[in-house]
Amino acid sequence: MGSAMASGAGAISSTLQEHRVFPAVAARELGFDSWHVSSLAEYKRLHKRSLEDPEGFWSSEARKLSWFAMWDRVLEWNAPDAKWFVGGKTNACYNCVDRHVQAGYGDEVALIWEGEPVGPRTSHVAPGSAYSKEPQVRTLTYRALQQEVSRFANVLKRLGVRKGDIVTIYMPMVPELAIAMLACARIGAAHSVIFGGFAPHAITERAMDAHSKVIITADGGWRRGEVVKLQVNVEEAVRSLANNGHIVNHVVVLRHTGHDAPSARFATGAGVEGAVATKMHWWHEELARVSDACPCESMDSEDMLFLLYTSGSTGKPKGIVHTTGGYLTFVQTTCKLTFNMQPGTGQVFWCSADIGWVTGHSYVLYGPLMNRVPTLLYEGAPNFPTMEGGKGDRFWEIIARHKVTQFYTAPTAIRTFMKWGDDLPARHDLSSLKILGTVGEPINPEAWIWYNQHIGGGRCPIVDTYWQTETGGHICTPLPGATPTKPGSCTMPMLGIDAAVVNEAGEELEANKGGLFVIRKPWPGMLRGVYGNRERFVSNYWGRVKDPATGMPYYFSADGARRDEDGYFWVQGRIDDVIKVSGHLLGTMEVESALVSHPAVAEAAVVGMPHDIKGNAICAFVTLRPNWLIAHKRAPDEALKKELAQHVAKEVGALARPDQVRFTESLPKTRSGKIMRRLLRDIAAGVEKITQDTTTLEDFSVVSRLRADEE
Ligand code: WTA
């Protein structure tokens, strides 16, 4: 196992040996009134207590939400099934919006949106695009949000959406995305948001799995001055769904980019071309038909709030199920503690993740809204308008313009900013910042230190938050004000989280020994299942490690980790067949199936390889079909490599495009026929040393024979 883990661990070469410890600072030094947890001793005391009495701890946290009816029981735990706040009734939208209006905060800002297009630097913009002169900014108060959400909730009802249905959402980062999600929650429908960077196939697969009858999208989204044609992708998906016998009843389209594509010229109520049973509706026309009064549905604590698909080791993505009461409690608490959220104190929170990923669900939408701290949404790229060399300073401009107090982003973004140079952030007033967060993959110390100095001005605590789609929220993170930080370590478990590094037998390992990252007790934000696939839920997460004393299953995150002599956790990366590319989780099988769907490809094996910016990049080893090459007069050349990489981008999405495609005569396999991924990973990692980008076929037969006995 040790060497399997090393593949993720060594992803980013670290030239700097960082042993510094950064002490927690006093709240006043940063202009906070106080910290929620203000010393390591206090954290340790609270953490200990939260593990001794998890039900007491979590019920006192849950009481900070508004409930329509209180629960009878805090927890029902029949491993691996947990039910939290059993019998309690509440509503997510009510907790994010209505309760603040009712408490007299209706005029406070709930959401700030900035669009990508700007005026003054339009020379960088594609000719003919419609741009405003100033950055487009829109703010919504809780009252405005309540009205918009209620109205859209009525639209959904009019289109037949009922409590318990699953609505698929495929939208750009616009306020209407938040509105659509909250509208679903308001009427008790679950949302299933698909990241706008995914290809039509992903929509088809997910909408089918979720039995979605309604899809919400937009005519397009902005990305570096280009329009991403979301509606066109949805139409393609709807057609292939219809061909597979799944009829989507309605597609609601937000007019956002207003580009003049033929597809954007439909009349509300028209059928989708090639799938006429599916009716198209303009968002604004539907809104005009309904009122803005819509009560919040009373939901059972364990009713599904949303589905979010994530990659696994098989080709098919997993629909992770999150429910209402537990998820809300966990996200409200973690968001408050990790970012020291204090409503009404002028905080502005910006998490730059797309809402299409779990970080966006928990920490763009639900967390800040529940905590009544304005949340900022930016639609677009950090390098738009684009400067020479592809650089950009848009993020720093946004932080200065909106006086952002807590900023949360990914290591891959930080490494990109580093590469663009220190002078770009230096041009902007970043003095409003108080806390910086990072998420998505291990952060290399160089990037951590740069973030600390050049964005945080050396004063802002950095919270390196380790968690997963499945965990709902942060499970290991420093608490600013309490936890001294070490660059590259996600430090200590969240309150109420019983984390450990264990061996296969479930025994906790001594300091600095690498092992499996597990959580030994249930927590409110944990996934409740994999939609429609009980077996996958049980075996993936609960089937590998048990409590050696009681035989009770532990939750295994599929990450390797170690804990140092101070009890700090160091996550080393995935030990299953998924890769983190620019912080996005991708299944190697998804990429492999995309490759073999190309007629030139006989077999493919995909592994991660270290990449300075992305953390990991995709390297694909491919065997070709000689007959196809002959018939099409093609050779295993650069052009074919490009074509295959492009094919993956088209099938899965641009984020899955391999950085390297390598042709080989055969794939190295064990005697039992398993592809030797470890060998391929080593080869991919040593890519510089081996003849780079050679078009000659690689022959692995010798090495595989040598290694066959090891696997
Ligand atoms: C990785 C993202 C190290 C990890 C919230 C995990 C991290 C996977 C960190 C989940 C971190 C996330 N340090 N590794 N701070 N945060 N990871 O589901 O491998 O997209 O298992 O959720 O990201 O990815 P997911």
Side-chain angles (χ1 to χ4, degrees):
M1 200 193 71
S3 69
M5 279 176 20
S7 63
I12 301 141
S13 61
S14 177
T15 47
L16 189 86
Q17 279 299 314
E18 184 54 56
H19 295 298
R20 270 194 280 175
V21 178
F22 290 71
V25 296
R28 300 251 171 235
E29 262 181 58
L30 278 163
F32 283 118
D33 292 340
S34 59
W35 295 115
H36 287 297
V37 180
S38 55
S39 71
L40 189 60
E42 187 187 356
Y43 157 79
K44 285 188 168 161
R45 199 175 63 243
L46 290 171
H47 186 252
K48 185 161 175 282
R49 218 163 60 198
S50 71
L51 296 194
E52 283 162 3
D53 178 18
E55 299 191 17
F57 174 73
W58 287 117
S59 60
S60 78
E61 289 304 303
R63 271 190 211 101
K64 295 168 189 162
L65 292 169
S66 294
W67 294 82
F68 304 148
M70 289 314 267
W71 52 89
D72 312 315
R73 237 180 319 159
V74 180
L75 171 67
E76 239 176 65
W77 176 229
N78 298 304
D81 297 300
K83 288 187 180 158
W84 284 91
F85 314 114
V86 185
K89 303 272 185 204
T90 185
N91 180 288
C93 184
Y94 187 85
N95 277 287
C96 289
V97 183
D98 296 67
R99 67 162 161 165
H100 304 317
V101 177
Q102 266 166 28
Y105 303 112
D107 296 327
E108 279 190 8
V109 172
L111 192 151
I112 304 164
W113 171 79
E114 181 162 330
E116 186 184 77
V118 280
R121 286 183 274 182
T122 42
S123 57
H124 306 286
V125 162
S129 311
Y131 279 91
S132 63
K133 292 273 183 290
E134 293 302 319
Q136 295 182 46
V137 175
R138 194 176 155 201
T139 57
L140 284 165
T141 61
Y142 290 99
R143 196 186 320 282
L145 193 56
Q146 187 184 36
Q147 282 162 358
E148 301 243 1
V149 169
S150 301
R151 216 174 248 284
F152 194 68
N154 282 332
V155 169
L156 293 176
K157 279 187 177 169
R158 222 180 76 86
L159 296 178
V161 178
R162 297 285 171 263
K163 184 173 177 174
D165 290 352
I166 302 171
V167 174
T168 292
I169 303 179
Y170 181 69
M171 290 180 85
M173 282 286 283
V174 289
E176 287 81 359
L177 168 54
I179 290 166
M181 293 164 78
L182 292 167
C184 288
R186 193 170 188 89
I187 62 171
H191 50 73
S192 167
V193 180
I194 302 173
F195 171 58
F198 276 124
H201 176 68
I203 311 172
T204 309
E205 205 173 28
R206 289 159 169 79
M208 177 99 100
D209 188 70
H211 312 286
S212 265
K213 293 299 210 177
V214 172
I215 302 182
I216 306 166
T217 188
D219 58 351
W222 291 107
R223 186 84 188 162
R224 290 198 190 88
E226 305 277 331
V227 172
V228 184
K229 301 223 167 97
L230 301 168
Q231 182 198 337
V232 177
N233 288 348
V234 168
E235 288 181 27
E236 193 179 324
V238 162
R239 275 191 290 275
S240 66
L241 281 161
N243 289 338
N244 285 297
H246 179 97
I247 306 296
V248 172
N249 295 334
H250 303 285
V251 175
V252 184
V253 185
L254 175 76
R255 181 176 279 154
H256 175 54
T257 53
H259 67 286
D260 195 26
S263 60
R265 288 191 217 120
F266 68 88
T268 285
V272 170
E273 207 187 314
V276 287
T278 305
K279 304 300 176 202
M280 307 277 286
H281 309 265
W282 282 115
W283 174 294
H284 57 280
E285 290 184 11
E286 289 303 321
L287 279 191
R289 299 200 161 103
V290 296
S291 86
D292 63 5
C294 174
C296 290
E297 194 72 39
S298 171
M299 302 301 288
D300 194 274
S301 178
E302 281 299 330
D303 279 337
M304 176 159 54
L305 175 59
F306 66 84
L307 256 191
L308 184 57
Y309 285 86
T310 184
S311 295
S313 1
T314 73
K316 205 170 164 284
K318 302 176 275 195
I320 301 301
V321 176
H322 281 289
T323 58
T324 309
Y327 173 82
L328 294 177
T329 301
F330 192 62
V331 170
Q332 174 171 266
T333 298
T334 54
C335 195
K336 178 184 69 185
L337 295 178
T338 306
F339 298 109
N340 203 47
M341 283 197 166
Q342 291 164 333
T345 62
Q347 296 183 348
V348 175
F349 180 77
W350 183 23
C351 166
S352 74
D354 193 286
I355 288 186
W357 305 103
V358 74
T359 307
H361 280 58
S362 298
Y363 301 107
V364 176
L365 191 71
Y366 290 112
L369 287 182
M370 277 191 285
N371 280 290
R372 197 162 55 81
V373 164
T375 182
L376 194 145
L377 267 74
Y378 169 55
E379 177 201 10
N383 56 348
F384 193 87
T386 313
M387 298 170 165
E388 206 180 314
K391 301 174 185 178
D393 61 352
R394 187 66 185 270
F395 275 25
W396 320 131
E397 204 176 273
I398 290 175
I399 289 174
R401 178 160 39 245
H402 300 285
K403 303 209 168 16
V404 170
T405 42
Q406 297 104 325
F407 175 60
Y408 191 27
T409 196
T412 183
I414 298 166
R415 290 191 293 265
T416 306
F417 300 143
M418 262 175 96
K419 195 182 76 183
W420 289 345
D422 307 348
D423 54 319
L424 294 188
R427 288 182 200 169
H428 299 273
D429 177 7
L430 304 180
S431 62
S432 58
L433 288 172
K434 296 173 196 246
I435 295 175
L436 299 176
T438 152
V439 59
E441 55 180 317
I443 183 165
N444 47 317
E446 292 91 331
W448 195 105
I449 297 286
W450 186 88
Y451 196 31
N452 175 268
Q453 287 175 352
H454 295 278
I455 308 304
R459 66 181 189 281
C460 303
I462 292 183
V463 288
D464 175 355
T465 62
Y466 166 65
W467 60 295
Q468 309 179 294
T469 305
E470 293 86 343
T471 67
H474 306 150
I475 49 177
C476 265
T477 175
L479 298 185
T483 323
T485 49
K486 302 185 185 185
S489 165
C490 61
T491 73
M492 308 269 204
M494 176 53 63
L495 300 185
I497 295 293
D498 186 12
V501 175
V502 301
N503 60 18
E504 297 277 350
E507 294 151 350
E508 194 157 4
L509 293 172
E510 60 188 88
N512 293 315
K513 281 261 159 60
L516 311 171
F517 183 96
V518 297
I519 304 178
R520 298 181 288 200
K521 284 199 183 75
W523 68 102
M526 65 194 263
L527 78 164
R528 299 299 194 270
V530 172
Y531 192 69
N533 200 333
R534 172 82 187 164
E535 198 280 322
R536 227 173 153 186
F537 168 65
V538 176
S539 66
N540 264 349
Y541 303 104
W542 308 94
R544 182 141 174 190
V545 197
K546 288 189 181 65
D547 182 329
T550 64
M552 286 281 265
Y554 288 163
Y555 173 84
F556 173 44
S557 72
D559 282 302
R562 74 182 164 88
R563 204 169 183 178
D564 70 17
E565 54 287 348
D566 300 322
Y568 279 53
F569 284 87
W570 300 77
V571 176
Q572 297 171 306
R574 304 285 299 206
I575 64 171
D576 55 357
D577 288 329
V578 304
I579 315 174
K580 272 273 161 160
V581 181
S582 299
H584 301 321
L585 207 60
L586 268 180
T588 51
M589 281 271 290
E590 287 169 84
V591 184
E592 286 163 6
S593 6
L595 281 165
V596 296
S597 74
H598 189 286
V601 177
E603 226 184 348
V606 161
V607 295
M609 62 178 185
H611 186 283
D612 283 348
I613 301 290
K614 299 179 180 182
N616 293 289
I618 290 176
C619 177
F621 293 89
V622 169
T623 65
L624 296 167
R625 293 183 188 281
N627 293 345
W628 186 90
L629 293 179
I630 294 162
H632 293 82
K633 300 199 174 56
R634 296 289 298 269
D637 54 10
E638 277 310 310
L640 185 57
K641 288 182 177 180
K642 284 221 176 69
E643 184 177 324
L644 294 182
Q646 184 49 33
H647 180 73
V648 173
K650 194 178 123 265
E651 289 294 306
V652 185
L655 70 155
R657 187 198 310 271
D659 272 41
Q660 285 230 350
V661 175
R662 301 172 63 155
F663 296 132
T664 157
E665 211 156 281
S666 61
L667 291 172
K669 291 187 184 154
T670 60
R671 286 197 187 111
S672 58
K674 264 180 63 187
I675 291 173
M676 299 166 78
R677 291 179 178 280
R678 179 144 59 98
L679 168 61
L680 292 180
R681 272 197 292 263
D682 291 350
I683 291 169
V687 85
E688 254 106 27
K689 278 166 257 148
I690 305 176
T691 44
Q692 202 178 3
D693 252 351
T694 170
T695 51
T696 25
L697 298 182
E698 293 170 81
D699 181 6
F700 296 128
S701 54
V702 183
V703 228
S704 21
R705 253 178 273 128
L706 282 175
R707 299 264 193 126
D709 298 324
E710 281 180 41
E711 297 282 309

